[in-house]
Amino acid sequence: MPIPVANLSGLFYPNRFARYLMLAVGEVLGADGAEAAFAQAGLRNLLHPLPPDTLDRQFDFAILAAFSQALTDLYGGRGGRSMDLRIGREWFRQGFFAFGALAGMGDPAFQALLVSQRARLALDALATVFTRHSDQATYVTERADSFMLTVQPSPLAWGRTSDRPVCHMLTGLIQETLNWSTRGFEFHVQERTCAAAGGEACVFIANKKPIGQLAGG
């Protein structure tokens, strides 16, 4: 069942992040699909008007959790996951690419770096944006063959229980961050542990090598 609007978390994204999200939802689901999903979540009033383009922290984590759960209720487990991933990728395209240090990724000096270096710097920049401007603490660590992003708390897991990870929207956002920063390379990204499934934090693993190079290519 959707999380009641009254059961708010007291943790927030800034309005700007929410605005990007609303635009992404409309792009992926279309006007009618967006209306249906927000109605299912009990959040029909969120689409009109869009949140203002400010950094005021006013978009409660519980709202995003309720919306993600509504996609699962409407489309089923597999369909909801697919929609979440697509919305996450579009979420990045709607504005994150021009936010903070992410805005410099198109510079020739940045693009001259190795793919793995661009990927690491992009993930660091994304983590800084979330940690600095929202109540979602995010940090990156590096392993021999992968990057690990730890998110605590994740708004998508807020108040939810599941037998598997649920933060697919953030997975999609990370995928698109890596694609953008490397000019078209795709990376395997997986949420390894999730607070909704009993984990202490939501942890995402991104392979250092793009898809197609994992076998040594």
Side-chain angles (χ1 to χ4, degrees), residues 53-69:
D53 189 14
T54 71
L55 291 176
D56 297 329
R57 299 187 188 189
Q58 296 178 325
F59 189 79
D60 195 282
F61 281 11
I63 295 173
L64 189 52
F67 176 71
S68 180
Q69 181 62 51

Side-chain angles (χ1 to χ4, degrees), residues 13-25 49-54 59 91 94-95:
Y13 272 158
N15 290 323
R16 182 171 296 168
F17 292 7
R19 184 181 183 88
Y20 296 160
L21 177 64
M22 299 301 109
L23 292 170
V25 169
L50 289 172
D53 189 14
T54 71
F59 189 79
W91 192 13
Q94 288 295 335

Side-chain angles (χ1 to χ4, degrees), residues 6 16 55 63 76 90-91 112 116 129 132 156 172 197 203:
R16 182 171 296 168
L55 291 176
I63 295 173
E90 185 62 32
W91 192 13
S116 61
V129 166
R132 182 173 297 168
L156 289 152
V203 178

Side-chain angles (χ1 to χ4, degrees), residues 78-96:
R78 182 175 297 180
R81 177 180 181 275
S82 176
M83 290 299 180
D84 262 334
L85 287 169
R86 290 176 59 195
I87 290 169
R89 297 193 71 141
E90 185 62 32
W91 192 13
F92 181 87
R93 298 185 198 113
Q94 288 295 335
F96 275 99

Side-chain angles (χ1 to χ4, degrees), residues 18 23 40 65 68 115 120 168-169 172 182-183 198 217:
L23 292 170
Q40 175 70 24
S68 180
V115 169
R120 173 61 196 261
H168 311 305
M169 214 174 288
T182 61
R183 291 201 171 171

